Amino acid sequence: MKGSFLSFIICCTLSALAQGKKGFVTTNQSTENIEEGFTIRTFDTRYEGVVGHPYLFESFLDIIVTTHSGDQVSFNGNLNIYEKAIVMNNSYKMLPLERVKNIEGEGKIFKILKENDQFLIVRNLHQGEDFSLLKSYNKIFKEAQYSGAYSAGKTRDQFKDNHQLLILRDNAMVPFRFNYSSIAELYGVPKKTVRQKIRDSYLNIQIEEQYSAILQLFE
């Protein structure tokens, strides 16, 4: 295990030097602690030629990974949502999410939660008085559809986003649709009041970046 981990670090470092980018860096604690936090397995190329991608970010970038023990590592990589693992750029290695607490990239923090033995990748869009509005990031894999020589169906496998909004309250998560009716029910106010307040504030209920500002109107 230790030999594999050291090889992994060397691989990342050489790759970074070749590209003139930041490599695998521990931002606190020791390398041994990071080794205990991760299990490493080989990444394959099974998704070559597939439409779309299984990743959280559109491209590989510098990210910070924090473990449950408080250790942090910084490297150029991405998060494979479909495989539930962190991928190192040009290293062909994947780090499963068992010990990962959160991932930071593009100025945003994504938390790793576990619900019914399934990993959830979420971001907090709004913190209310007694609830949190979360966005859960998911990907689904759809196989190509063939129905004959002149098939009009999808002829290539593809990944599609399947993200979802959730309300976290009292340690329970329930699906949430960001519309006038759901907001009215959430705060116990008439639907017409919700519509009018949003209109008067020149906010757009369709824009995710404005969700928090909209909810603040009723707090």
Side-chain angles (χ1 to χ4, degrees):
M1 174 66 183
K2 187 171 183 179
S4 298
F5 184 75
L6 291 175
S7 297
F8 167 73
I9 294 178
I10 293 171
C11 180
C12 289
T13 302
L14 291 176
S15 175
L17 288 174
Q19 300 176 38
K21 297 181 179 180
K22 178 171 61 178
F24 186 96
V25 180
T26 58
T27 56
N28 72 341
Q29 301 300 323
S30 65
T31 300
E32 287 75 15
N33 286 341
I34 300 297
E35 177 183 358
E36 293 174 0
F38 290 119
T39 301
I40 303 172
R41 65 185 176 89
T42 302
F43 176 64
D44 57 42
T45 56
R46 75 185 73 178
Y47 300 128
E48 288 185 354
V50 176
V51 176
H53 61 78
Y55 302 114
L56 176 63
F57 303 108
E58 288 299 319
S59 60
F60 282 73
L61 71 163
D62 290 340
I63 59 177
I64 299 174
V65 176
T66 304
T67 68
H68 290 294
S69 62
D71 299 327
Q72 289 186 328
V73 288
S74 176
F75 52 85
N76 192 268
N78 210 326
L79 193 158
N80 187 321
I81 299 176
Y82 189 74
E83 292 280 348
K84 297 296 188 293
I86 300 166
V87 183
M88 309 300 164
N89 192 13
N90 292 331
S91 71
Y92 304 102
K93 300 290 184 179
M94 299 180 74
L95 304 179
L97 299 181
E98 282 85 355
R99 301 295 182 90
V100 178
K101 181 179 181 181
N102 59 56
I103 300 161
E104 185 174 349
E106 295 184 339
K108 302 172 183 177
I109 297 176
F110 302 85
K111 295 182 180 297
I112 308 301
L113 305 179
K114 200 168 186 181
E115 180 79 3
N116 298 324
D117 294 326
Q118 297 292 324
F119 287 109
L120 297 180
I121 301 156
V122 303
R123 183 165 66 92
N124 194 338
L125 301 182
H126 177 76
Q127 184 59 56
E129 293 183 2
D130 64 345
F131 72 91
S132 298
L133 174 65
L134 307 177
K135 181 176 181 179
S136 176
Y137 293 80
N138 304 283
K139 294 274 187 175
I140 56 176
F141 182 70
K142 290 193 172 183
E143 295 184 352
Q145 299 174 4
Y146 301 98
S147 58
Y150 300 98
S151 171
K154 298 181 178 64
T155 57
R156 295 180 65 184
D157 296 341
Q158 62 178 315
F159 280 104
K160 300 194 70 173
D161 291 340
N162 189 32
H163 306 329
Q164 182 182 34
L165 293 179
L166 302 167
I167 289 292
L168 173 62
R169 174 184 279 155
D170 298 329
N171 295 320
M173 286 183 287
V174 296
F176 184 79
R177 297 186 65 183
F178 206 87
N179 55 36
Y180 299 115
S181 298
S182 297
I183 296 172
E185 182 179 353
L186 182 64
Y187 289 99
V189 297
K191 180 179 176 180
K192 63 180 181 180
T193 300
V194 173
R195 189 186 299 272
Q196 189 63 48
K197 277 196 171 187
I198 294 175
R199 182 181 302 168
D200 292 345
S201 300
Y202 299 99
L203 295 171
N204 190 333
I205 200 170
Q206 302 296 328
I207 300 177
E208 182 180 297
E209 289 73 16
Q210 296 185 9
Y211 286 179
S212 184
I214 289 173
L215 296 184
Q216 288 178 45
L217 297 174
F218 308 96
E219 296 177 346

